[in-house]
Amino acid sequence: MIAGLGSVAAKIEPSGVASALAGGKPEAQAVKQIVRVIVFNADRDRRNAITVAILSSQPVPYEGEPDGSLSIWADALGEEFAATFRDVLAETHLTDDQAQRLVAQILARKQSLGVQFFVSELASLFAFAGRSKANAVAFSQIDEIAALARSQGQRSVLASAFIAILPSCSVAQIRMLAPVVRNLGGTTNLEKNASVLAELDDEQFNAVVEGFPESKPLQRTLSQRVKEV
């Protein structure tokens, strides 16, 4: 069956792939072989469409994975995983539950994805409007993501990326982000980022100042804001 699939793989509709993963629970090894053939014969748009179709089906457990159907597909994508999940994560029509499933798969592969992936995708992972569940999953591993930055350059770039999403975060989220930015050595980056500071409302700004209690520049900016009210 596997050998004959190659010639027809491109003709299988994305919904058909999702149905195959969701129905009947075939042996996981057989499923893995099938999806590898499908990935091999798929271009970027088709990979994205199949991913969305799988997300539209209920999670199916395989080999102890609660969302084994999506996990098997993600593994089969191989080097195309990052680009495919980046594309699909940016889809505005995804539900919060669907985005949560995507984020869980991304976090499970954080070591192989590396820090640069997270630098470029922080806004989609942590601060996507209307995705409270998906954002919360990302926040649950914020320390592990920060630990991916090992060199001083990586730490500085990641700190700046976290700083950039502050205006899109709630006060509670800012309180979680502040110690991470501090530990990455990003205090000076924050102090100098006038555009981000200007975007913060009063409650957000107060949370930032509370999170960086030793920062005199932030305290001065807060005092100036109070005088201008």
Side-chain angles (χ1 to χ4, degrees):
M1 183 178 81
I2 303 302
L5 182 59
S7 61
V8 298
K11 299 178 182 178
I12 302 175
E13 292 293 329
S15 59
V17 179
S19 296
L21 286 168
K25 292 188 179 180
E27 289 295 322
Q29 194 57 41
V31 173
K32 292 175 183 179
Q33 289 178 304
I34 292 169
V35 295
R36 279 197 293 268
V37 174
I38 293 172
V39 167
F40 181 80
N41 288 275
D43 62 14
R44 183 171 184 168
D45 289 342
R46 181 165 165 75
R47 289 191 295 269
N48 293 350
I50 292 172
T51 305
V52 171
I54 293 170
L55 290 170
S56 298
S57 301
Q58 290 299 311
V60 176
Y62 284 109
E63 297 183 325
E65 287 278 349
D67 198 358
S69 51
L70 185 60
S71 179
I72 287 173
W73 174 250
D75 287 342
L77 287 169
E79 294 181 355
E80 303 297 340
F81 171 84
T84 301
F85 272 54
R86 179 186 291 118
D87 288 349
V88 177
L89 191 64
E91 294 279 355
T92 56
H93 62 77
L94 291 184
T95 68
D96 194 7
D97 287 337
Q98 290 171 337
Q100 184 181 14
R101 291 171 65 188
L102 282 178
V103 173
Q105 295 299 322
I106 289 169
L107 295 176
R109 294 162 178 78
K110 58 184 173 290
Q111 293 294 335
S112 60
L113 289 170
V115 65
Q116 189 53 48
F117 176 90
F118 290 94
V119 167
S120 63
E121 299 305 315
L122 281 186
S124 294
L125 290 165
F126 285 85
F128 204 110
R131 294 183 181 174
S132 59
K133 293 178 183 178
N135 296 342
V137 171
F139 269 100
S140 73
Q141 293 197 30
I142 190 171
D143 290 331
E144 290 89 339
I145 292 170
L148 296 174
R150 294 182 174 85
S151 71
Q152 185 56 45
Q154 289 176 336
R155 291 167 62 83
S156 179
V157 170
L158 185 58
S160 294
F162 276 124
I163 290 167
I165 66 171
L166 286 173
S168 300
C169 292
S170 67
V171 168
Q173 290 170 335
I174 288 173
R175 287 172 177 155
M176 286 188 277
L177 278 174
V180 175
V181 173
R182 278 202 323 270
N183 291 338
L184 287 169
T187 301
T188 300
N189 292 3
L190 175 60
E191 292 168 346
K192 293 179 178 180
N193 199 323
S195 60
V196 163
L197 296 177
E199 289 185 58
L200 300 173
D201 64 28
D202 290 342
E203 289 187 353
Q204 289 174 315
F205 199 91
N206 285 333
V208 167
V209 174
E210 290 170 6
F212 296 83
E214 298 180 0
S215 172
K216 295 294 195 299
L218 290 177
Q219 292 173 8
R220 286 195 296 269
T221 303
L222 177 60
S223 297
Q224 185 61 36
R225 286 173 66 125
V226 171
K227 291 179 182 178
E228 293 174 353
V229 173

